[in-house]
């Protein structure tokens, strides 16, 4: 029953630990940080401090829940990047210290690769090659997945990520942080075709979402001139229309990617893959186009150590270990 790997995730505002044994993720412990809510977004320094406070308890819970001990571990995995530098440093430093103390190898994991590999935690699992739309607060990418550790970005945002567009629009609406899930919640009750928003034109398979915030701000400004209570009276329709627009931008590019590559297996990953509107419409489009669609369980959509453990399992099999002088990377290309 080898290997047994402890994985640590600390790239942003979730402190998470997971134990994987022989390719089977045994648990996925996550400590969220509510401290950021009153600031309307993640405060990097506060995130780093919260990781320091949480990491020992989270790791202990992961080991206890897996019915194992530190001495039974074969390797320690950690998120090297991309992410907030201070937050990454906590996870990297803890992993190094533990690996040195136990005299076992380190495994560095690319956070974005791990999001894709979350699809291999549970059945059903895609086969290679497949396309993965990876969508989060910091990234929007279409990834051609050739193998567990061989991935190529064939389309990506040139400015804001789609998760940023959701959260910024929510802030403009006066919704509390994190606002993206609230837009999704209200959208379920609204008319997705009540309002139209302008399209963004980008070459190839790339995206652009930076203009969405400005266009949305002006849209609300103009509507509130005529009716100061416009947002309160039409919140569900506003959220449904905005969500429909953003999801349409994503799925249009996915359709183009499938047409260009001839691939008919499509997956989504990342925090925004928890969005009900995106999940429902991808399923519907998949049925229409004859695609095989893969969507991870909710607990593996947002940042979590289960996906880090899965990536580490495949790296362990190939003997891809990190040196003790490894440093975190705030920016880290997918192919690294």
């Amino acid at each position: 029953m080898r290997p047994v790997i402890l994985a640590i995730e600390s790239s942003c505002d979730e402190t998470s630990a997971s134990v994987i044994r022989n390719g089977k993720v045994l648990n996925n412990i996550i400590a969220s940080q509510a401290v950021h809510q009153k600031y309307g977004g993640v405060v990097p320094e506060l995130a780093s401090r919260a990781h320091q406070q949480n990491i020992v308890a989270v790791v202990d819970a992961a080991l206890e829940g897996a019915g194992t001990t530190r001495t039974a571990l074969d390797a320690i995995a950690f998120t090297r990047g991309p992410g907030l530098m201070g937050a990454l440093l906590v996870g990297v430093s803890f992993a190094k210290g533990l690996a040195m103390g136990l005299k076992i190898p380190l495994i560095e994991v690319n956070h974005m690769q791990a999001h894709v590999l979350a699809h291999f935690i549970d059945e059903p699992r895609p086969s290679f090659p497949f396309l993965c739309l990876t969508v989060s607060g910091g990234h929007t990418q279409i990834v051609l997945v050739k193998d567990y550790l061989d991935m190529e970005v064939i389309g990506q945002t040139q400015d804001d990520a789609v998760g940023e567009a959701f959260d910024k629009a929510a802030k403009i609406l006066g919704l509390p942080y994190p606002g993206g899930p609230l837009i999704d919640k209200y959208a379920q009750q609204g008319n997705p075709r009540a309002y139209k928003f302008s399209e963004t034109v980008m070459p190839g398979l790339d995206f652009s979402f930076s203009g969405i915030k400005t266009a949305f701000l002006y849209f609300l400004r103009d509507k509130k001139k005529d009716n100061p209570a416009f947002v309160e009276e039409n919140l569900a329709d506003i959220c449904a229309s905005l969500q429909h627009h953003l999801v349409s931008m994503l799925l249009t590019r996915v359709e183009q990617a499938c047409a260009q590559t001839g691939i008919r297996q499509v997956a989504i990953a990342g925090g925004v893959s928890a969005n009900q509107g995106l999940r429902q419409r991808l399923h519907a489009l998949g049925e229409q186009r004859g695609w095989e669609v893969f969507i991870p369980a909710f607990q593996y959509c947002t940042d979590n150590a289960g996906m880090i453990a899965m990536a580490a399992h495949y790296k362990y099999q190939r003997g891809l270990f990190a040196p003790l002088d490894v440093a975190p990377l705030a920016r880290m290309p997918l192919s690294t």
Side-chain angles (χ1 to χ4, degrees):
M1 298 294 292
R2 294 289 185 176
V4 180
I5 304 170
L6 170 70
I8 297 167
E9 154 62 19
S10 68
S11 63
C12 190
D13 62 337
E14 309 280 359
T15 311
S16 184
S18 176
V19 175
I20 187 170
R21 178 185 290 122
N22 199 31
K24 173 67 174 177
V25 174
L26 302 181
N27 53 26
N28 188 37
I29 308 300
I30 302 174
S32 299
Q33 301 176 3
V35 66
H36 306 286
Q37 292 178 355
K38 64 179 178 179
Y39 299 102
V42 176
V43 181
E45 177 61 26
L46 295 180
S48 302
R49 293 179 185 179
H51 284 307
Q52 291 175 347
Q53 294 167 356
N54 294 336
I55 194 164
V56 172
V58 168
V59 166
D60 284 346
L63 292 171
E64 182 179 354
T68 191
T69 62
R70 298 180 185 185
T71 55
L73 296 174
D74 295 296
I76 309 294
F78 62 92
T79 301
R80 185 183 183 189
L84 301 175
M85 183 56 78
L88 290 168
L89 273 167
V90 176
V92 173
S93 300
F94 187 92
K96 283 184 180 181
L98 190 54
M100 288 177 66
L102 296 173
K103 296 181 174 56
I104 56 177
L106 279 170
I107 303 174
E108 63 168 86
V109 172
N110 184 307
H111 183 83
M112 299 312 296
Q113 276 193 350
H115 268 306
V116 176
L117 294 175
H119 286 282
F120 294 91
I121 296 175
D122 295 321
E123 296 283 357
R125 298 179 175 94
S127 57
F128 304 111
F130 66 94
L131 295 176
C132 187
L133 174 67
T134 309
V135 279
S136 67
H139 296 81
T140 302
Q141 301 173 335
I142 298 178
V143 181
L144 172 57
V145 187
K146 306 171 188 177
D147 194 22
Y148 298 112
L149 303 176
D150 185 3
M151 306 178 192
E152 177 187 356
V153 176
I154 59 175
Q156 61 187 328
T157 183
Q158 295 301 311
D159 39 62
D160 285 356
V162 69
E164 291 177 86
F166 272 110
D167 285 338
K168 288 177 179 178
K171 193 170 185 178
I172 294 170
L173 285 169
L175 299 176
Y177 176 85
L182 289 175
I183 288 183
D184 187 26
K185 175 185 174 182
Y186 290 120
Q188 305 306 312
Q189 307 158 24
N191 176 8
R193 303 187 185 278
Y195 308 105
K196 284 189 174 294
F197 301 100
S198 59
E199 294 288 340
T200 302
V201 179
M202 289 295 290
L205 297 174
D206 285 344
F207 303 88
S208 173
F209 295 99
S210 63
I212 300 295
K213 178 189 69 173
T214 305
F216 190 67
L217 181 67
Y218 290 157
F219 163 78
L220 292 183
R221 180 198 63 182
D222 294 343
K223 291 291 186 180
K224 289 167 75 173
K225 282 181 182 178
D226 299 327
N227 177 11
F230 174 74
V231 172
E232 292 79 4
E233 294 175 359
N234 300 278
L235 182 59
D237 285 349
I238 295 169
C239 291
S241 298
L242 177 66
Q243 178 161 291
H244 180 81
H245 180 65
L246 292 173
V247 171
S248 294
M249 292 175 66
L250 295 172
L251 295 184
T252 294
R253 285 292 189 256
V254 171
E255 282 194 275
Q256 292 174 343
C258 288
Q260 289 181 22
T261 62
I263 293 173
R264 306 183 73 80
Q265 288 196 112
V266 179
I268 54 173
V272 182
S273 66
N275 180 280
Q276 291 282 12
L278 175 58
R279 294 164 82 96
Q280 291 165 5
R281 289 185 60 190
L282 179 60
H283 267 306
L285 185 60
E287 289 182 10
Q288 181 183 344
R289 296 284 186 255
W291 300 341
E292 195 173 359
V293 171
F294 299 89
I295 300 178
F298 281 108
Q299 69 167 316
Y300 300 123
C301 291
T302 54
D303 295 347
N304 67 90
M307 67 184 193
I308 305 301
M310 199 73 246
H313 170 74
Y314 295 116
K315 297 193 84 167
Y316 187 97
Q317 287 183 325
R318 302 183 188 188
L320 299 176
F321 303 123
L324 282 173
D325 63 354
V326 63
L329 297 173
R331 295 178 180 271
M332 188 174 183
L334 187 73
S335 57
T336 299

